[in-house]
Coordinates of all heavy atoms in Angstrom, one line a residue:
G1 N 93.9 104.8 79.9 CA 93.6 104.9 78.5 C 92.5 105.9 78.2 O 92.1 106.7 79.0
S2 N 92.0 105.8 77.0 CA 91.0 106.8 76.6 C 89.6 106.5 77.4 O 88.9 107.4 77.6 CB 90.7 106.6 75.1 OG 90.2 105.3 74.8
R3 N 89.4 105.3 77.8 CA 88.2 105.0 78.6 C 88.2 105.8 79.9 O 87.2 106.3 80.3 CB 88.0 103.5 78.8 CG 86.8 103.2 79.6 CD 86.6 101.7 79.7 NE 85.4 101.4 80.4 CZ 85.3 100.4 81.3 NH1 86.4 99.6 81.5 NH2 84.2 100.2 82.0
G4 N 89.3 105.8 80.6 CA 89.5 106.5 81.8 C 89.3 108.0 81.7 O 88.7 108.6 82.5
R5 N 89.8 108.5 80.6 CA 89.6 109.9 80.3 C 88.2 110.3 80.0 O 87.7 111.3 80.4 CB 90.5 110.3 79.1 CG 92.0 110.4 79.5 CD 92.8 111.0 78.4 NE 94.2 110.9 78.7 CZ 95.0 110.2 78.0 NH1 94.6 109.5 76.9 NH2 96.3 110.1 78.4
G6 N 87.5 109.4 79.3 CA 86.1 109.6 79.0 C 85.2 109.6 80.3 O 84.4 110.5 80.4
V7 N 85.5 108.7 81.2 CA 84.8 108.7 82.5 C 85.1 109.9 83.3 O 84.3 110.5 83.9 CB 85.2 107.4 83.3 CG1 84.7 107.5 84.7 CG2 84.7 106.2 82.5
G8 N 86.4 110.4 83.2 CA 86.8 111.6 83.9 C 86.1 112.8 83.4 O 85.6 113.6 84.2
V9 N 86.0 112.9 82.1 CA 85.3 114.1 81.5 C 83.8 114.0 81.8 O 83.2 115.0 82.2 CB 85.5 114.1 79.9 CG1 84.6 115.1 79.3 CG2 87.0 114.4 79.6
L10 N 83.2 112.9 81.7 CA 81.8 112.7 82.1 C 81.6 113.1 83.6 O 80.6 113.8 83.9 CB 81.4 111.3 81.9 CG 79.9 110.9 82.2 CD1 79.0 111.7 81.3 CD2 79.7 109.4 82.2
T11 N 82.5 112.7 84.4 CA 82.3 113.0 85.8 C 82.4 114.5 86.1 O 81.7 115.1 86.8 CB 83.4 112.3 86.7 OG1 83.3 110.9 86.4 CG2 83.3 112.6 88.1
V12 N 83.4 115.2 85.4 CA 83.6 116.6 85.6 C 82.3 117.3 85.1 O 81.8 118.3 85.8 CB 84.8 117.1 84.8 CG1 84.9 118.6 84.7 CG2 86.1 116.6 85.5
V13 N 81.8 116.9 84.0 CA 80.5 117.6 83.5 C 79.4 117.4 84.5 O 78.6 118.3 84.8 CB 80.2 117.0 82.1 CG1 78.8 117.5 81.6 CG2 81.2 117.5 81.1
A14 N 79.3 116.2 85.0 CA 78.2 115.9 86.0 C 78.3 116.7 87.2 O 77.4 117.2 87.8 CB 78.2 114.4 86.3
V15 N 79.6 116.9 87.7 CA 79.8 117.7 88.9 C 79.4 119.1 88.7 O 78.8 119.8 89.5 CB 81.3 117.5 89.4 CG1 81.6 118.6 90.4 CG2 81.5 116.1 89.9
I16 N 79.8 119.7 87.5 CA 79.5 121.1 87.2 C 78.0 121.3 87.1 O 77.5 122.2 87.7 CB 80.3 121.5 85.9 CG1 81.8 121.6 86.2 CG2 79.7 122.8 85.4 CD1 82.6 121.7 84.9
L17 N 77.3 120.4 86.4 CA 75.9 120.6 86.2 C 75.2 120.4 87.6 O 74.1 121.1 87.8 CB 75.4 119.6 85.2 CG 75.8 119.8 83.8 CD1 75.3 118.7 82.9 CD2 75.2 121.2 83.3
N18 N 75.7 119.5 88.4 CA 75.0 119.3 89.7 C 75.2 120.4 90.7 O 74.4 120.6 91.6 CB 75.6 118.0 90.3 CG 74.7 117.3 91.3 OD1 73.6 117.9 91.6 ND2 75.0 116.2 91.8
S19 N 76.3 121.1 90.6 CA 76.6 122.2 91.5 C 76.2 123.6 91.1 O 76.1 124.5 91.9 CB 78.1 122.2 91.8 OG 78.8 122.5 90.7
A20 N 75.9 123.8 89.8 CA 75.5 125.1 89.3 C 74.4 125.8 90.0 O 74.5 127.0 90.3 CB 75.3 125.0 87.8
P21 N 73.2 125.1 90.2 CA 72.1 125.8 90.9 C 72.5 126.3 92.3 O 72.1 127.4 92.7 CB 71.0 124.8 91.0 CG 71.3 123.8 89.9 CD 72.8 123.8 89.8
G22 N 73.2 125.6 93.1 CA 73.6 126.0 94.4 C 74.5 127.2 94.4 O 74.4 128.1 95.2
V23 N 75.4 127.2 93.4 CA 76.3 128.4 93.3 C 75.6 129.6 92.9 O 75.7 130.7 93.4 CB 77.5 128.0 92.3 CG1 78.3 129.3 92.1 CG2 78.3 126.9 92.9
S24 N 74.7 129.5 91.9 CA 74.0 130.7 91.4 C 72.9 131.2 92.3 O 72.7 132.4 92.4 CB 73.4 130.4 90.0 OG 72.4 129.4 90.1
L25 N 72.2 130.3 93.0 CA 71.2 130.8 93.9 C 71.6 130.9 95.4 O 70.9 131.5 96.2 CB 70.0 129.8 93.8 CG 69.4 129.6 92.5 CD1 68.3 128.5 92.5 CD2 68.8 131.0 92.0
G26 N 72.7 130.4 95.7 CA 73.2 130.5 97.1 C 72.5 129.6 98.1 O 72.4 130.0 99.3
V27 N 71.9 128.6 97.7 CA 71.1 127.7 98.6 C 71.8 126.3 98.6 O 72.4 125.9 97.6 CB 69.7 127.5 98.2 CG1 68.9 128.8 98.4 CG2 69.5 127.0 96.8
P28 N 71.8 125.6 99.7 CA 72.4 124.2 99.7 C 71.6 123.3 98.8 O 70.4 123.5 98.5 CB 72.2 123.8 101.2 CG 71.8 125.0 102.0 CD 71.3 126.0 101.0
F29 N 72.3 122.2 98.4 CA 71.6 121.3 97.5 C 70.3 120.7 98.0 O 69.4 120.6 97.3 CB 72.6 120.2 97.1 CG 72.0 119.2 96.2 CD1 71.8 119.4 94.8 CD2 71.7 117.9 96.7 CE1 71.3 118.5 94.0 CE2 71.1 117.0 95.8 CZ 70.9 117.3 94.5
P30 N 70.3 120.2 99.3 CA 69.0 119.6 99.7 C 67.8 120.5 99.7 O 66.7 120.1 99.3 CB 69.3 119.2 101.2 CG 70.8 119.1 101.2 CD 71.3 120.1 100.3
V31 N 68.0 121.8 100.0 CA 66.9 122.8 99.9 C 66.5 122.9 98.4 O 65.3 122.9 98.1 CB 67.4 124.1 100.5 CG1 66.3 125.2 100.3 CG2 67.7 124.0 102.0
Y32 N 67.4 123.1 97.5 CA 67.1 123.2 96.1 C 66.4 122.0 95.6 O 65.4 122.1 94.8 CB 68.4 123.5 95.3 CG 68.1 123.8 93.9 CD1 67.6 125.0 93.5 CD2 68.4 122.8 92.9 CE1 67.4 125.3 92.1 CE2 68.1 123.0 91.6 CZ 67.6 124.3 91.2 OH 67.4 124.5 89.9
A33 N 66.8 120.8 96.0 CA 66.2 119.6 95.5 C 64.8 119.4 96.0 O 63.9 119.0 95.3 CB 67.1 118.4 96.0
R34 N 64.6 119.7 97.3 CA 63.2 119.6 97.8 C 62.3 120.6 97.1 O 61.1 120.3 96.8 CB 63.2 119.9 99.3 CG 63.6 118.7 100.1 CD 63.3 118.8 101.6 NE 63.9 120.0 102.2 CZ 65.1 120.0 102.8 NH1 65.8 118.8 102.9 NH2 65.6 121.1 103.3
A35 N 62.7 121.8 96.8 CA 61.9 122.8 96.1 C 61.6 122.3 94.7 O 60.5 122.6 94.2 CB 62.6 124.1 96.1
S36 N 62.5 121.6 94.1 CA 62.3 121.2 92.7 C 61.6 119.9 92.6 O 60.7 119.7 91.7 CB 63.7 121.0 92.0 OG 64.3 122.2 92.0
F37 N 61.9 118.9 93.5 CA 61.4 117.5 93.3 C 60.5 117.1 94.4 O 60.0 115.9 94.4 CB 62.6 116.6 93.2 CG 63.5 116.9 92.2 CD1 64.8 117.3 92.5 CD2 63.2 116.7 90.8 CE1 65.7 117.6 91.5 CE2 64.1 117.0 89.8 CZ 65.4 117.4 90.1
G38 N 60.2 117.9 95.4 CA 59.4 117.4 96.6 C 60.3 116.6 97.5 O 61.4 116.3 97.3
Y39 N 59.7 116.2 98.7 CA 60.4 115.5 99.7 C 60.9 114.2 99.2 O 62.1 113.8 99.4 CB 59.6 115.4 101.0 CG 60.3 114.8 102.1 CD1 61.2 115.5 102.8 CD2 60.1 113.5 102.5 CE1 61.9 115.0 103.9 CE2 60.8 112.9 103.5 CZ 61.7 113.7 104.2 OH 62.4 113.1 105.3
E40 N 60.1 113.4 98.6 CA 60.5 112.1 98.1 C 61.4 112.1 96.9 O 62.3 111.4 96.8 CB 59.2 111.2 97.8 CG 58.4 110.9 99.0 CD 59.2 110.1 100.0 OE1 59.9 109.1 99.7 OE2 59.0 110.3 101.3
G41 N 61.1 113.0 96.0 CA 62.0 113.2 94.8 C 63.4 113.7 95.2 O 64.4 113.3 94.5
A42 N 63.5 114.4 96.3 CA 64.8 114.9 96.7 C 65.7 113.7 97.1 O 67.0 113.8 97.0 CB 64.7 115.8 97.9
K43 N 65.1 112.6 97.5 CA 65.9 111.4 97.9 C 66.6 110.8 96.6 O 67.8 110.4 96.7 CB 65.1 110.3 98.5 CG 64.5 110.7 99.9 CD 63.6 109.7 100.5 CE 63.0 110.2 101.8 NZ 62.1 109.2 102.3
I44 N 65.9 110.8 95.5 CA 66.5 110.4 94.3 C 67.6 111.3 93.8 O 68.6 110.9 93.4 CB 65.4 110.2 93.2 CG1 64.4 109.2 93.6 CG2 66.0 109.9 91.8 CD1 63.2 109.1 92.7
A45 N 67.3 112.6 93.9 CA 68.3 113.6 93.6 C 69.6 113.5 94.4 O 70.7 113.6 94.0 CB 67.8 115.0 93.7
A46 N 69.4 113.2 95.7 CA 70.5 113.0 96.6 C 71.3 111.7 96.3 O 72.5 111.7 96.3 CB 70.1 112.9 98.1
L47 N 70.6 110.7 95.9 CA 71.2 109.4 95.4 C 72.1 109.7 94.2 O 73.2 109.2 94.1 CB 70.2 108.4 95.2 CG 70.7 107.0 94.7 CD1 71.5 106.4 95.8 CD2 69.6 106.1 94.3
T48 N 71.6 110.4 93.2 CA 72.4 110.7 92.0 C 73.6 111.5 92.3 O 74.6 111.3 91.8 CB 71.5 111.3 90.9 OG1 71.0 112.6 91.4 CG2 70.4 110.4 90.5
R49 N 73.4 112.4 93.3 CA 74.5 113.3 93.7 C 75.6 112.4 94.4 O 76.8 112.6 94.2 CB 74.1 114.4 94.6 CG 75.1 115.4 94.9 CD 74.6 116.6 95.7 NE 75.6 117.5 96.0 CZ 75.7 118.7 95.7 NH1 74.7 119.3 95.0 NH2 76.7 119.5 96.0
G50 N 75.1 111.4 95.2 CA 76.1 110.5 95.8 C 76.8 109.7 94.8 O 78.0 109.5 95.0
I51 N 76.2 109.2 93.8 CA 76.8 108.5 92.7 C 77.9 109.3 92.0 O 79.0 108.8 91.8 CB 75.8 107.9 91.7 CG1 74.9 106.8 92.4 CG2 76.5 107.4 90.5 CD1 73.7 106.4 91.6
V52 N 77.5 110.6 91.7 CA 78.5 111.5 91.1 C 79.7 111.7 92.1 O 80.9 111.7 91.6 CB 77.9 112.8 90.8 CG1 78.9 113.9 90.4 CG2 76.9 112.6 89.6
G53 N 79.4 111.8 93.4 CA 80.5 111.9 94.3 C 81.5 110.7 94.4 O 82.7 110.9 94.4
V54 N 80.9 109.5 94.3 CA 81.7 108.3 94.2 C 82.6 108.3 93.0 O 83.8 108.0 93.0 CB 80.9 107.1 94.4 CG1 81.7 105.8 94.0 CG2 80.3 107.0 95.7
M55 N 82.0 108.7 91.8 CA 82.7 108.7 90.6 C 83.8 109.8 90.7 O 85.0 109.5 90.2 CB 81.8 109.1 89.4 CG 80.8 108.0 89.0 SD 79.5 108.5 87.9 CE 80.5 109.2 86.5
W56 N 83.6 110.9 91.2 CA 84.6 112.0 91.4 C 85.7 111.5 92.3 O 86.9 111.7 92.0 CB 84.0 113.2 91.9 CG 84.9 114.4 91.9 CD1 85.3 115.0 93.1 CD2 85.6 115.0 90.9 NE1 86.2 116.0 92.7 CE2 86.4 116.0 91.4 CE3 85.6 114.8 89.5 CZ2 87.2 116.9 90.6 CZ3 86.4 115.6 88.7 CH2 87.2 116.6 89.3
L57 N 85.4 110.9 93.4 CA 86.4 110.4 94.3 C 87.3 109.3 93.6 O 88.5 109.3 93.7 CB 85.8 109.8 95.5 CG 86.8 109.1 96.5 CD1 87.7 110.1 97.1 CD2 86.0 108.4 97.6
S58 N 86.6 108.4 92.8 CA 87.4 107.4 92.1 C 88.3 108.0 91.1 O 89.5 107.5 91.0 CB 86.4 106.4 91.4 OG 85.5 105.8 92.4
F59 N 87.9 109.0 90.4 CA 88.7 109.7 89.4 C 89.9 110.3 90.1 O 91.1 110.2 89.6 CB 87.9 110.7 88.6 CG 88.7 111.5 87.6 CD1 89.2 110.8 86.5 CD2 88.9 112.8 87.7 CE1 89.9 111.5 85.5 CE2 89.6 113.5 86.8 CZ 90.1 112.9 85.7
Q60 N 89.7 111.0 91.2 CA 90.8 111.6 91.9 C 91.8 110.6 92.4 O 93.0 110.8 92.4 CB 90.3 112.5 93.0 CG 89.6 113.8 92.6 CD 89.1 114.6 93.7 OE1 88.8 114.1 94.8 NE2 89.0 115.9 93.5
L61 N 91.3 109.5 93.0 CA 92.2 108.5 93.5 C 93.0 107.8 92.4 O 94.2 107.5 92.5 CB 91.4 107.4 94.2 CG 90.8 107.8 95.6 CD1 89.9 106.7 96.1 CD2 92.0 108.1 96.5
W62 N 92.4 107.6 91.2 CA 93.1 107.1 90.1 C 94.2 108.0 89.6 O 95.4 107.6 89.4 CB 92.1 106.8 88.9 CG 92.7 106.4 87.7 CD1 93.4 105.3 87.4 CD2 92.7 107.1 86.4 NE1 93.8 105.3 86.1 CE2 93.4 106.4 85.5 CE3 92.1 108.3 86.1 CZ2 93.5 106.8 84.2 CZ3 92.3 108.8 84.8 CH2 93.0 108.0 83.8
L63 N 93.9 109.3 89.5 CA 95.0 110.3 89.1 C 96.1 110.3 90.2 O 97.3 110.4 89.8 CB 94.4 111.6 88.9 CG 93.6 111.9 87.7 CD1 93.1 113.3 87.6 CD2 94.4 111.6 86.4
S64 N 95.7 110.4 91.4 CA 96.8 110.5 92.4 C 97.6 109.2 92.5 O 98.8 109.3 92.7 CB 96.2 110.8 93.8 OG 95.3 109.8 94.2
A65 N 97.0 108.1 92.4 CA 97.8 106.8 92.4 C 98.7 106.7 91.2 O 99.9 106.3 91.4 CB 96.9 105.6 92.4
D66 N 98.3 107.2 90.1 CA 99.1 107.2 88.9 C 100.3 108.2 89.1 O 101.4 107.9 88.7 CB 98.3 107.5 87.6 CG 99.1 107.3 86.4 OD1 99.7 106.2 86.2 OD2 99.1 108.2 85.5
A67 N 100.0 109.3 89.6 CA 101.1 110.3 89.9 C 102.1 109.8 90.9 O 103.3 110.0 90.7 CB 100.4 111.6 90.4
F68 N 101.6 109.1 91.9 CA 102.5 108.6 92.9 C 103.4 107.5 92.3 O 104.6 107.5 92.6 CB 101.6 108.0 94.1 CG 102.5 107.3 95.1 CD1 103.1 108.1 96.1 CD2 102.6 105.9 95.2 CE1 103.9 107.5 97.1 CE2 103.4 105.4 96.2 CZ 104.1 106.2 97.1
V69 N 102.8 106.6 91.5 CA 103.6 105.6 90.9 C 104.6 106.2 89.9 O 105.8 105.8 89.9 CB 102.7 104.5 90.3 CG1 103.6 103.5 89.4 CG2 102.0 103.7 91.3
S70 N 104.2 107.2 89.2 CA 105.1 107.8 88.2 C 106.3 108.5 89.0 O 107.4 108.4 88.5 CB 104.4 108.8 87.4 OG 103.4 108.2 86.6
G71 N 106.0 109.2 90.1 CA 107.0 109.8 90.8 C 107.9 108.8 91.5 O 109.2 109.0 91.5
F72 N 107.4 107.8 92.0 CA 108.2 106.8 92.7 C 109.0 106.0 91.7 O 110.1 105.6 92.0 CB 107.3 105.8 93.5 CG 108.0 105.0 94.5 CD1 108.5 105.6 95.6 CD2 108.1 103.6 94.4 CE1 109.2 104.9 96.6 CE2 108.7 102.9 95.3 CZ 109.3 103.5 96.5
A73 N 108.6 105.9 90.4 CA 109.3 105.2 89.4 C 110.6 105.9 89.0 O 111.5 105.3 88.5 CB 108.4 104.9 88.2
R74 N 110.6 107.2 89.2 CA 111.8 108.0 89.0 C 112.9 107.6 90.0 O 114.1 107.5 89.6 CB 111.5 109.5 89.1 CG 110.8 110.1 88.0 CD 111.5 111.3 87.6 NE 110.8 112.0 86.6 CZ 111.4 112.5 85.5 NH1 112.6 112.2 85.3 NH2 110.7 113.1 84.6
A75 N 112.5 107.4 91.2 CA 113.5 107.0 92.2 C 113.9 105.5 92.1 O 115.0 105.1 92.4 CB 113.0 107.3 93.6
A76 N 112.9 104.7 91.8 CA 113.1 103.2 91.7 C 112.5 102.7 90.4 O 111.3 102.3 90.4 CB 112.5 102.5 92.9
P77 N 113.2 102.8 89.3 CA 112.7 102.5 88.0 C 112.0 101.1 87.9 O 111.1 100.9 87.1 CB 113.9 102.6 87.0 CG 114.8 103.4 87.7 CD 114.6 103.2 89.2
G78 N 112.4 100.1 88.7 CA 111.8 98.8 88.6 C 110.4 98.7 89.2 O 109.8 97.6 89.0
I79 N 109.9 99.7 89.8 CA 108.6 99.7 90.4 C 107.5 99.5 89.4 O 106.4 98.9 89.8 CB 108.4 100.9 91.3 CG1 107.3 100.7 92.3 CG2 108.1 102.1 90.5 CD1 107.6 99.8 93.5
R80 N 107.7 99.9 88.2 CA 106.6 99.8 87.2 C 106.3 98.3 86.9 O 105.2 98.0 86.5 CB 107.0 100.5 85.9 CG 106.9 102.0 85.9 CD 105.6 102.4 85.4 NE 105.5 103.9 85.4 CZ 104.4 104.6 85.6 NH1 103.3 103.9 85.7 NH2 104.4 105.8 85.5
D81 N 107.3 97.5 87.1 CA 107.0 96.0 86.9 C 106.1 95.4 87.9 O 105.5 94.4 87.7 CB 108.4 95.3 86.8 CG 109.3 95.8 85.7 OD1 108.8 96.2 84.7 OD2 110.5 95.7 85.9
W82 N 106.0 96.0 89.1 CA 105.1 95.5 90.1 C 103.7 95.8 89.9 O 102.8 95.1 90.3 CB 105.5 96.1 91.5 CG 106.9 95.7 92.0 CD1 107.8 94.9 91.3 CD2 107.4 96.0 93.2 NE1 108.9 94.8 92.1 CE2 108.7 95.4 93.3 CE3 107.0 96.8 94.3 CZ2 109.6 95.6 94.3 CZ3 107.9 96.9 95.4 CH2 109.1 96.3 95.4
A83 N 103.4 97.0 89.3 CA 102.0 97.5 89.1 C 101.4 96.8 87.9 O 101.9 96.5 86.9 CB 102.0 99.0 89.0

């Protein structure tokens, strides 16, 4: 529904904002995070990046599972009743 799309859009925006400095400066994320936040602050930045990664993986799995069920439902129309 619309909640899933909202989470997906939020995740895409977070991924883009999180990856922009590494792409523009050509440095890996841990190096950039230590330069910006210090050694201890980089741990928090890495944690937030991990959370974004989990959100992105969840969004991709949701889309792929829905696509799989939709494709399988073409071959076996009664499969939608199981899900």
Side-chain angles (χ1 to χ4, degrees):
S2 63
R3 181 175 179 220
R5 287 190 188 115
V7 170
V9 169
L10 178 66
T11 302
V12 168
V13 169
V15 167
I16 290 170
L17 291 175
N18 201 356
S19 64
V23 172
S24 64
L25 299 175
V27 295
F29 178 76
V31 173
Y32 184 77
R34 280 193 301 267
S36 299
F37 304 112
Y39 185 74
E40 293 299 319
K43 293 177 185 176
I44 296 170
L47 180 65
T48 60
R49 188 173 176 122
I51 291 169
V52 169
V54 169
M55 290 171 52
W56 183 245
L57 175 65
S58 301
F59 179 67
Q60 287 181 331
L61 287 173
W62 172 64
L63 282 180
S64 61
D66 190 47
F68 179 77
V69 169
S70 295
F72 199 66
R74 285 228 187 230
I79 197 73
R80 284 267 183 210
D81 298 332
W82 294 4

